[in-house]
Amino acid sequence: MYNNIYFTGTSSLRRAAQLARNYPHLKVENIRGNLNTRLRKLDEDNTFFDGIILAVAGIVRMKWEDRISEYLEPGSMLYAVGQGALAVECRDGDRRIISLIEPLHHQATLMRIIAERAFLNTLGGGCSAPVAVCTEFQQGSVTMTGAVWSLDGKETLQEEMTRSLEAEENEVDCGGQEVGSGEPARKSIRHDASTYFGVHPGSIKTGHLQCARNLGINLAHELIARGALKIMSVAKQTINATP
């Protein structure tokens, strides 16, 4: 603490914006480096950091849980698109390799990642604007929270949306047919990675995949209608103008 101000370190625009909005008594400062470097900067005798924000996964992997003083749940700190998901890369269309890694598919993770990537792709965001999500997969539905902030956290747009897997599955099956009608769907759906933002769909039902994809797209459009693109544009311009 310096002059009754508490200093917190993070290199994430997303985390900095949320900290500024949810914890206005904190002064957020940039901190960079790997996990060891950041912890060393926190521990130095002349440090001005009172705390730093880190991903729990890295701390746990290093077995340094005793360094954690507080867990920030998604309710107070939404996370980055795809954060925490593990992926195996392979050549698109390589059926032999795809069949070998197919058993590794985790449906809940896949659905969440497709929804989140669809959301970010529709917004056109990236590392240059504070955009964050929280997605929950349940047996019959997918629920997603998405948000956009100004760099100082003063402006924020946040929405939550849920889509039913059953409702989506009734619209289209894996062959691009309207279920129960025997007639071709109005638009055939490609069942490959290009449709799902680089994520191979595997053998998961097309209706379920479309549910996740449409959820992300529709949620993004809700934020766009409320002015998300303007907030993101100002953030990008500010960052680009910073030396």
Side-chain angles (χ1 to χ4, degrees):
M1 183 174 65
Y2 180 75
N3 288 340
N4 294 320
I5 299 175
Y6 291 92
F7 288 85
T8 301
T10 179
S11 61
S12 165
L13 297 176
R14 166 182 46 82
R15 289 173 178 163
Q18 293 181 81
L19 286 169
R21 184 170 185 83
N22 298 332
Y23 305 93
H25 62 288
L26 299 178
K27 172 67 174 176
V28 181
E29 292 289 343
N30 189 41
I31 184 171
R32 294 194 175 276
N34 59 28
L35 189 57
N36 292 29
T37 300
R38 297 187 192 203
L39 288 172
R40 189 189 72 242
K41 290 180 179 180
L42 175 64
D43 294 337
E44 289 173 347
D45 292 337
N46 60 345
T47 186
F48 61 87
F49 288 115
D50 296 288
I52 57 177
I53 308 298
L54 298 169
V56 171
I59 299 291
V60 172
R61 189 177 300 118
M62 298 298 292
K63 302 186 185 303
W64 293 340
E65 292 94 332
D66 60 304
R67 298 301 305 264
I68 300 174
S69 60
E70 182 177 353
Y71 291 88
L72 299 177
E73 300 295 339
S76 61
M77 182 69 67
L78 299 182
Y79 52 80
V81 166
Q83 186 165 356
L86 299 178
V88 177
E89 291 189 45
C90 72
R91 292 182 297 274
D92 189 22
D94 190 328
R95 299 300 175 187
R96 186 180 72 85
I97 298 298
I98 290 173
S99 66
L100 289 175
I101 61 178
E102 173 69 24
L104 300 177
H105 251 328
H106 184 255
Q107 182 179 9
T109 300
L110 178 71
M111 299 279 285
R112 292 163 70 179
I113 294 305
I114 289 175
E116 293 173 9
R117 285 195 169 196
F119 174 76
L120 188 64
N121 182 76
T122 304
L123 282 176
C127 297
S128 58
V131 176
V133 297
C134 177
T135 312
E136 296 181 355
F137 173 82
Q138 297 177 335
Q139 191 63 31
S141 64
V142 184
T143 299
M144 184 176 183
T145 301
V148 174
W149 294 267
S150 59
L151 292 177
D152 59 9
K154 293 181 179 179
E155 291 185 87
T156 180
L157 297 175
Q158 183 168 318
E159 290 283 353
E160 180 179 291
M161 186 177 292
T162 299
R163 287 192 73 96
S164 167
L165 298 179
E166 182 178 355
E168 199 77 38
E169 188 173 359
N170 287 337
E171 294 179 12
V172 61
D173 67 8
C174 292
Q177 304 285 324
E178 291 183 358
V179 176
S181 69
E183 297 294 330
R186 286 187 296 273
K187 183 177 180 181
S188 178
I189 298 172
R190 293 180 61 192
H191 195 66
D192 58 24
S194 63
T195 307
Y196 303 109
F197 311 99
V199 181
H200 193 275
S203 59
I204 296 175
K205 294 180 179 179
T206 298
H208 291 185
L209 297 167
Q210 285 296 105
C211 172
R213 181 177 181 273
N214 292 342
L215 173 63
I217 292 172
N218 292 339
L219 184 60
H221 281 305
E222 287 286 334
L223 292 181
I224 290 172
R226 293 178 55 193
L229 297 185
K230 180 180 179 181
I231 294 176
M232 294 171 64
S233 176
V234 171
K236 291 177 182 178
Q237 291 174 14
T238 302
I239 293 169
N240 291 336
T242 302

